């Protein structure tokens, strides 16, 4: 069930928060041997919070829409007293001494946290195959990846081992796994949600956002985590609206743009057909479909990987075995740092650090990094120009459906291409949402991506909600073997 459905049952006393939490934990124990979405559990704390929510309900107190609803959080978001490993050996035993701002916000709303979720190491990957600790599977078919880097967050929601989850999105890491696992994945505007307490990959691109079963739940979670934070210098000032009020089943007169560059070579034919069918659905609902052009999009993936890896090289320099995290003993400081980073970082993280260091090095900074920043500005300008003509943009979330384990792990460029539809959004800092749009012939989910101008989450959610209401057959419940998810 969804957050909003369960909230009604809790307030009507048809179900207690403790009963709900125990039921999800019991279900999680059945699914985890198959899915492996979690890296750690916090069941005892979850049951304590659930009991406190029940006490409030019994006393006639009002509760928040998230109170007593079990969720889970990606393992690169800091929770005081719980490990935050980033799925890396270098942080295997790191326990943060503080809460991320969004965790403080959720605690104030009596959220029930079930544990920390698996991910690609330091959020670097598109399949969750780069985790140092576990291989999360896709709940639709265990032979397939769940996407990444928030693969655990998407798989947990699809599997029902969490009602909702939080992931982080640097270049599509919420939307792409959302598409692969058949759930809703929302990347808010850069700065709409605080990054304080999110362990950094690429600071100018990272953004926390929800993965949920439907669009209404995404709006509820966004209400809980959005807002200005003085601890985050990139946080956007000002009050935030109630995003649930944007959930109006009406898109008449809405102009929806379809960038022609997102439907060219490299896009799977079944994915293209699903998005074209979605466009027809919008036309039937009274929206106007307009073809637009974003010609600089073909450079966005290259620009993204130069900028993201350069920032990663800088951000990950702090893991040197001195202050915290793994330390491999050696005879001197340089040898100790080298051994620590060699043993602590996986191959993909090492690859990205090396590439990032290269593009920042003397003689190559202007040729690569500076040029990528200029391309980023062009990408942003093209989005701004497009949104002068249309209200939202409609594209595929990913060029393909989920692929099998091992299919791309030895071909980094092929893996990076899975982000081709999502990375421009992070470069521009605009919001994007992936919504289930159907299924491929192999039974795997297909996601469609909607984009809006900066701080345009309301129109984004409105368009997503209208499609979801018109096409309920796109949202189904996954199952593996005898376990119904």
């Amino acid at each position: 069930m969804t957050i909003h459905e369960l909230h009604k049952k809790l307030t009507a006393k048809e179900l207690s928060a403790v009963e709900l939490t125990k039921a999800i934990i019991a279900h999680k124990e059945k699914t985890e041997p198959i899915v492996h979405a979690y890296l750690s559990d916090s069941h005892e704390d979850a049951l304590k919070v659930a009991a406190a929510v029940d006490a409030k309900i019994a006393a006639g107190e009002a509760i928040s829409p998230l109170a007593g609803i079990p969720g889970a959080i990606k393992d690169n978001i800091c929770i005081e007293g719980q490990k935050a490993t980033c799925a890396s050996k270098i942080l295997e035993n790191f326990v943060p001494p503080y809460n991320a701002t969004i965790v403080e916000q959720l605690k104030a709303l009596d959220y029930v946290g079930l544990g920390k979720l698996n991910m690609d190491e330091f959020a670097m990957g598109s399949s969750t195959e780069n985790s140092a600790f576990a291989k999360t599977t896709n709940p639709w078919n265990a032979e397939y990846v769940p996407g990444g880097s928030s693969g655990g967050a998407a798989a947990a929601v699809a599997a029902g081992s969490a009602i909702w989850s939080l992931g982080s999105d640097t270049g599509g890491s919420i939307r792409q796994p959302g598409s692969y696992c058949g759930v809703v994945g929302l990347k808010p505007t850069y700065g709409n949600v605080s990054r304080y307490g999110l362990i950094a990959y690429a600071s100018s691109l990272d953004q926390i956002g929800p993965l949920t079963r439907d669009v209404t739940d995404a709006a509820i979670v966004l209400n809980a985590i959005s807002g200005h934070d003085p601890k985050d210098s990139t946080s956007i000032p000002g009050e935030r609206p109630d995003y649930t009020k944007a959930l109006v089943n009406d898109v008449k007169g809405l102009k929806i743009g379809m960038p022609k560059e997102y439907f060219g070579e490299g896009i799977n034919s079944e994915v293209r057909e699903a998005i074209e069918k979605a466009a027809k659905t919008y036309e039937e609902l009274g929206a106007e479909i307009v073809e637009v052009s974003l010609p600089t999009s073909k450079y966005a993936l290259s620009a993204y990987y130069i900028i993201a890896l350069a920032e990663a090289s800088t951000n990950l320099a702090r893991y040197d075995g001195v202050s915290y995290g793994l330390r491999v003993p050696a005879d001197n400081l340089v040898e100790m740092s080298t051994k620590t980073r060699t043993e602590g970082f996986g191959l993909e993280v090492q690859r990205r650090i090396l590439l990032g260091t290269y593009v920042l090095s003397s003689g190559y900074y202007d040729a690569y990094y500076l040029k990528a920043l200029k391309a980023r500005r062009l990408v942003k300008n093209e989005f701004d120009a497009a949104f002068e003509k249309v209200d939202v943009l409609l594209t595929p979330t990913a060029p393909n459906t989920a692929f099998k384990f091992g299919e791309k792990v030895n071909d980094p460029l092929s893996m990076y291409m899975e982000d081709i539809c999502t990375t421009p959004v992070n470069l521009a800092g605009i919001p994007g949402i992936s919504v289930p749009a159907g299924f491929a012939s192999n039974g795997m989910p297909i996601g469609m991506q909607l984009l809006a101008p900066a701080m345009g989450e309301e129109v984004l959610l409105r368009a997503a909600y209208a499609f979801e209401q018109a096409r309920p057959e796109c949202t189904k419940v996954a199952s593996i073997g005898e376990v119904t998810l």
Side-chain angles (χ1 to χ4, degrees):
M1 299 181 74
T2 60
I3 294 170
H4 53 97
E5 290 169 338
L6 290 166
H7 176 71
K8 289 178 181 177
K9 287 189 175 290
L10 289 175
T11 53
K13 299 182 180 178
E14 297 175 14
L15 180 70
S16 76
V18 169
E19 287 172 337
L20 172 60
T21 303
K22 284 182 176 178
I24 297 297
I25 290 172
H27 180 67
K28 176 171 170 275
E29 288 172 352
K30 293 179 182 178
T31 62
E32 270 302 282
I34 306 168
V35 180
H36 308 292
Y38 286 80
L39 289 180
S40 61
D41 298 324
S42 52
H43 295 167
E44 188 176 333
D45 289 343
L47 289 167
K48 285 180 183 177
V49 175
V53 171
D54 286 337
K56 286 186 177 182
I57 295 171
E61 296 181 35
I63 61 171
S64 79
L66 269 183
I69 311 293
I73 292 178
K74 189 176 179 179
D75 204 28
N76 61 345
I77 298 172
C78 292
I79 301 177
E80 184 180 357
Q82 295 184 32
K83 284 185 181 182
T85 70
C86 286
S88 177
K89 289 181 180 179
I90 209 159
L91 286 178
E92 186 171 2
N93 296 307
F94 173 63
V95 179
Y98 69 100
N99 286 319
T101 294
I102 59 102
V103 172
E104 293 286 356
Q105 291 170 297
L106 291 170
K107 282 181 175 289
L109 299 174
D110 295 320
Y111 96 104
V112 173
L114 295 175
K116 305 296 285 295
L117 296 160
N118 196 22
M119 57 185 282
D120 282 300
E121 184 180 4
F122 281 100
M124 298 182 187
S126 304
S127 64
T128 316
E129 290 175 282
N130 294 326
S131 171
F133 306 123
K135 184 175 79 171
T136 299
T137 63
N138 192 309
W140 291 93
N141 189 324
E143 293 181 6
Y144 289 78
V145 302
S149 62
S150 305
V157 175
S161 58
I163 304 300
W164 60 276
S165 67
L166 289 184
S168 66
D169 192 311
T170 305
S173 290
I174 288 173
R175 290 159 288 151
Q176 185 249 33
S179 174
Y180 282 9
C181 292
V183 298
V184 174
L186 171 63
K187 184 207 88 74
T189 301
Y190 181 78
N192 191 6
V193 176
S194 172
R195 290 186 300 110
Y196 179 78
L198 171 68
I199 297 173
Y201 163 18
S203 302
S204 75
L205 302 163
D206 299 338
Q207 186 62 94
I208 296 169
L211 288 126
T212 58
R213 288 228 163 173
D214 69 3
V215 175
T216 302
D217 281 4
I220 290 170
V221 179
L222 184 59
N223 275 347
I225 63 174
S226 62
H228 177 249
D229 179 16
K231 294 178 181 177
D232 177 1
S233 62
T234 60
S235 178
I236 297 172
E239 293 295 317
R240 304 297 194 261
D242 179 353
Y243 291 107
T244 60
K245 291 183 178 178
L247 305 176
V248 180
N249 192 9
D250 180 16
V251 291
K252 289 178 182 175
L254 203 71
K255 289 187 177 181
I256 299 176
M258 295 183 70
K260 62 183 181 180
E261 290 80 9
Y262 285 70
F263 295 89
E265 282 185 39
I267 303 297
N268 179 284
S269 60
E270 290 184 305
V271 172
R272 185 186 293 110
E273 288 170 13
I275 308 308
E276 289 171 350
K277 188 176 179 181
K280 289 180 182 177
T281 299
Y282 276 119
E283 282 186 315
E284 292 167 1
L285 294 173
E288 181 184 350
I289 303 298
V290 180
E291 184 180 88
V292 298
S293 180
L294 299 170
T296 309
S297 294
K298 62 184 177 181
Y299 304 117
L301 188 68
S302 300
Y304 165 81
Y305 271 102
I306 290 172
I307 293 168
L309 272 51
E311 293 186 19
S313 170
T314 303
N315 279 325
L316 272 63
R318 69 192 70 177
Y319 306 111
D320 54 7
V322 176
S323 300
Y324 54 87
L326 177 71
R327 176 183 293 177
V328 179
D331 294 333
N332 57 68
L333 183 64
V334 173
E335 187 181 344
M336 182 272 290
S337 181
T338 301
K339 284 186 175 181
T340 296
R341 290 169 68 81
T342 301
E343 293 185 25
F345 289 136
L347 292 178
E348 181 61 29
V349 174
Q350 292 183 31
R351 179 186 293 117
R352 296 193 187 202
I353 290 172
L354 288 168
L355 288 170
T357 304
Y358 176 80
V359 300
L360 290 176
S361 60
S362 177
Y364 298 100
Y365 180 94
D366 291 345
Y368 294 104
Y369 184 66
L370 188 61
K371 191 173 288 185
L373 292 178
K374 292 177 180 179
R376 180 180 193 170
R377 170 51 62 182
L378 292 176
V379 169
K380 174 72 165 63
N381 290 345
E382 285 184 356
F383 273 116
D384 290 344
F387 287 126
E388 290 178 2
K389 301 174 185 176
V390 299
D391 299 299
V392 295
L393 294 171
L394 171 64
T395 77
T397 305
N400 301 290
T401 56
F403 49 89
K404 290 186 176 182
F405 282 99
E407 193 173 312
K408 298 178 185 289
V409 74
N410 294 317
D411 185 356
L413 292 180
S414 177
M415 184 79 79
Y416 297 167
M417 287 298 291
E418 291 301 306
D419 299 330
I420 196 166
C421 298
T422 53
T423 52
V425 182
N426 297 76
L427 291 175
I430 60 176
I433 190 170
S434 179
V435 180
F439 295 84
S441 56
N442 63 359
M444 302 305 289
I446 295 172
M448 73 175 197
Q449 180 176 231
L450 291 164
L451 311 175
M455 297 303 283
E457 278 85 346
E458 289 172 288
V459 68
L460 191 74
L461 290 163
R462 175 189 165 194
Y465 180 76
F467 177 82
E468 183 182 73
Q469 298 302 302
R471 296 279 300 283
E473 72 278 6
C474 293
T475 304
K476 294 180 181 179
V477 177
S479 66
I480 293 178
E482 297 178 357
V483 181
T484 300
L485 309 178

